[in-house]
Amino acid sequence: MFDTLSDRLNSVFDGLRGRGALSENDVRDAMREVRIALLEADVALPVARDFISRVTEKAVGQQVLKSVTPGQQVVKIVNDELVAMLGGEDEGAGDAAPLNFDVKPPAVVMMVGLQGSGKTTSTAKIAKLLKDKEGKKALMASLDVNRPAAQEQLAILGEQAEVATLPIVAGQQPVDIARRAMESARLQNVDVLLLDTAGRLHVDEALMAEMKAVAGVANPAEVLLVVDSLTGQDAVNVAQNFSDEVPLTGVVLTRMDGDARGGAALSMRAVTGKPIKFAGTGEKLDAIERFHPSRMADRILGMGDVVSLVEKAAETIDAEESEKLAERMMKGKFDLNDLRKQLSQMQKMGGLGALAGMMPGMKKAKAAMANANMDDKVLIHMDAIIGSMTKKERANPNLLNAKRKKRVAAGSGTSVQEVNKILKMHQEMGRAMKQIKKMGGLKGLAAMFGGGGGMGGGAPGAGAPTGLPGGMPGLPGAAPGQLPPDLDNFLKKK
């Protein structure tokens, strides 16, 4: 969603980096362009004005203008202020704001917001995240008696997320449902109770009165406002209205994967005074992540997000399977079944676009991919091609003569040319592995780049993140549990 803003800012900073020295006027001209970019991204005017004022004040100092790399210094100042704008000054080094569970169980999380903002889905997503990643026992309860089938929707999402939901009692009112949910949560020794409240088409007295009554009964530890980032500046206005009436503790931004201009995310913290705690990144129940101001600032400024990339790799990649694959590749036994596993891992990690967006310096590559119509459908087509081959053909691609290629193309709904591209990719990866083997394997390659123990070089189970799998198309190869030294250094800085 920040693509346009990111492009504008990077064009401004490219101009600054290209100069050996900067004058005060150069900085002020650049900041004027940054302000225009922020306003075009739908950032609230007072927020944009305050941001530019702080950056300019720091950037025109003698330490910056007289430094060896003034352009880089200005970019660093912008990055630091961007982190602060997104809420990093409170969360410490731009980390995600935690939920408050320092209360007697069950900790109540009350979800509020307008109708259609994604409250019910976000409730299930957060419950699943707390269950899967933090080991919390969660219970969900729908207090929405106005929207047809709202309670049934949460029950279905609960089944999909494998999180318990409060049984529906027809005709029961929100305050009574909240009381029953509290009692049920205590009896079941639940850690977290999530209350999905009703919404309206606009902020009105009835909505606020109902929320205050529920809050009086449930005494929530967290009151999270769910807002749709696609509504742009209006999302900020909604947040302000709720903030004036309800004791909010945080914000959940939905549809962060959409084509919104990003102004809502950048303005929310400054306008409400409350941190963004979660960001919805897709339709699936696992498509939600904690909001890290520093990582988001890095993405906006085109610096990538290697930390999130490694975390995603650690979550989705089977370390044992990765080790077996690395061993096979070193022995020159990399076949199309192995390539298919690599493609599957890329899809699990978010696809080509998501991976390119997280890699430093990959902004232009991502744009080139878009211009060449290379999207995640490419991975699906590749998987279909390999799936149309027989077991023998996947194990020994040399069997694929012209006749067999035609059959594979017809079976996968593709062309012979696309089948040839897959085979060429397999051959190139095989050749690359043979070259690495001649250099002494992955350890020898790591030694060439600086001896690389890197992160994850300690004993197994030491808590280090799993490295990116060797041979993944388009990603730097690394032995399981290792990272290339440049990524290692980047992470240490983080």
Side-chain angles (χ1 to χ4, degrees), residues 111 119-129 140 154 157-158 161 163 194 285:
M111 309 290 286
K119 278 196 313 301
T120 303
T121 307
S122 295
T123 301
K125 285 180 176 181
I126 292 172
K128 179 176 171 59
L129 183 147
M140 300 188 295
L154 188 66
L157 291 172
V163 175
L194 293 101
L285 286 176

Side-chain angles (χ1 to χ4, degrees), residues 355-373:
L355 292 175
M358 289 183 182
M359 292 292 287
M362 289 291 285
K363 187 77 181 174
K364 291 178 181 177
K366 188 178 178 182
M369 284 163 52
N371 293 334
N373 293 321

Side-chain angles (χ1 to χ4, degrees), residues 212-277:
K212 287 176 182 176
V214 170
V217 170
N219 189 26
E222 292 278 350
V223 181
L224 301 181
L225 174 65
V226 182
V227 290
D228 186 345
S229 58
L230 290 180
T231 56
Q233 198 57 48
D234 193 49
V236 179
N237 299 331
V238 169
Q240 182 67 66
N241 291 333
F242 271 90
S243 183
D244 292 342
E245 298 287 340
V246 185
L248 298 178
T249 60
V251 177
V252 180
L253 273 179
T254 61
R255 302 194 199 180
M256 287 281 284
D257 57 324
D259 57 359
R261 289 177 287 180
L266 292 169
S267 305
M268 198 66 68
R269 177 66 178 82
V271 172
T272 65
K274 307 301 177 186
I276 301 170
K277 295 201 172 185

